[in-house]
Amino acid sequence: METVLTIDHLKKQYDGLTVLKDISLTVHEGEVIVIVGPSGCGKSTLLRCINALEEIQGGEIRLDGNPISKNSKNLAEIRQKIGMVFQSYELFPHLNVLDNITLAPIKVQKRSREEAAKEAMALLSRVGLEEKADSFPRQLSGGQKQRVAIVRALCMNPEIMLFDEVTAALDPEMVREVLDVILELANQKKTMLIVTHEMQFARAVADRVIFLDEGVIKEEGSPEEFFDSPKTQRAGEFLRTFTFERKHTN
């Protein structure tokens, strides 16, 4: 399989505190990698480093062999190949859904308004939101906003998609409608890195699971390996926090 993204010995610090210690990872075309781990272990920071939203203090990140950093001369061009969806939607409140989606393709990629709108409407139809094209973010539910945010990223035709806890701010009944969209993308062999606390979803969507803890990759493997037979004690402890047993008393 063709390599899309490589991370070699990545190190990230905040004010002297090392958040990512020595991360190395290779992502292949069409692969879905799910990153799990306790809160504060560096999962979201890793995604932000990949998109050069954070400066790194060591190591290297490459997309298609091109280094990604804040100093890259072609950073704007590289970022167009990376779609990122945040848990907070990041939609412009003064623009309707269609304008939110087509703004970047028109302004950044210099595509015609007609072409961008046509693709946006096709994508909205795929996620069941075609009738919301003229609505404003305030008129949408959380799940609808998140699906719009996904469509906005897809409309740039990125090589790789990054999802950062995209269901964390949603009511439980809205979670499924967003996860179904991501599952469909996985079935279409879209290259994706997904940070999530939804363990059942992680198992269903992942080709590979990365367990991050204390700024390092403690374990990685197939969903079956990770969820059924974790290799490390720490991974086992983490997974047990998601299972509950009923205690019977006599």
Side-chain angles (χ1 to χ4, degrees), residues 8-233:
D8 289 314
H9 304 293
L10 174 64
K11 184 178 180 181
K12 171 63 188 173
Q13 293 176 320
Y14 289 114
D15 299 324
L17 176 67
T18 303
V19 181
L20 298 174
K21 294 176 182 174
D22 187 11
I23 303 292
S24 293
L25 180 64
T26 300
V27 182
H28 300 104
E29 185 178 1
E31 189 174 26
V32 179
I33 294 180
V34 175
I35 304 166
V36 301
S39 296
C41 71
K43 304 185 298 293
S44 295
T45 300
L46 176 58
L47 293 192
R48 291 175 64 83
C49 289
I50 292 170
N51 209 16
L53 294 174
E54 300 282 355
E55 286 196 53
I56 63 175
Q57 281 68 54
E60 190 174 54
I61 305 171
R62 288 179 173 269
L63 181 70
D64 298 329
N66 298 306
I68 303 173
S69 77
K70 293 237 179 189
N71 300 320
S72 298
K73 291 181 180 178
N74 57 341
L75 180 58
E77 184 182 328
I78 292 171
R79 275 187 171 150
Q80 290 181 44
K81 298 179 180 181
I82 304 171
M84 187 158 182
V85 184
F86 304 87
Q87 70 179 57
S88 54
Y89 325 129
E90 306 290 344
L91 300 176
F92 294 109
H94 63 289
L95 297 180
N96 66 24
V97 165
L98 186 60
D99 288 341
N100 259 287
I101 295 167
T102 58
L103 182 65
I106 293 169
K107 297 287 188 184
V108 178
Q109 296 181 330
K110 307 302 181 187
R111 290 158 63 186
S112 71
R113 187 174 298 276
E114 183 181 18
E115 179 199 343
K118 183 178 180 182
E119 182 170 4
M121 291 304 295
L123 288 167
L124 283 171
S125 179
R126 268 174 54 187
V127 302
L129 290 176
E130 193 173 9
E131 77 285 356
K132 298 293 185 181
D134 296 324
S135 300
F136 287 85
R138 66 179 180 276
Q139 298 170 307
L140 304 178
S141 70
Q144 289 170 337
K145 289 177 189 174
Q146 198 56 285
R147 282 183 282 162
V148 170
I150 293 171
V151 166
R152 181 179 58 181
L154 288 173
C155 207
M156 295 291 284
N157 297 308
E159 285 189 31
I160 187 169
M161 289 283 289
L162 311 178
F163 293 93
D164 186 15
E165 296 281 14
V166 293
T167 60
L170 299 180
D171 292 333
E173 65 268 24
M174 296 177 184
V175 169
R176 182 68 196 224
E177 63 191 46
V178 174
L179 297 185
D180 280 345
V181 172
I182 301 174
L183 275 168
E184 185 189 341
L185 293 175
N187 291 334
Q188 294 165 359
K189 296 299 180 184
K190 190 73 179 174
T191 310
M192 296 188 281
L193 263 68
I194 303 168
V195 167
T196 185
H197 282 299
E198 303 282 344
M199 291 300 119
Q200 283 184 308
F201 169 69
R203 182 168 189 147
V205 77
D207 293 310
R208 192 162 27 127
V209 177
I210 303 291
F211 176 57
L212 202 62
D213 187 35
E214 297 179 333
V216 298
I217 295 175
K218 289 281 179 75
E219 187 168 334
E220 67 176 289
S222 70
E224 293 75 22
E225 289 171 336
F226 179 72
F227 289 106
D228 294 339
S229 306
K231 303 184 193 78
T232 62
Q233 181 180 345

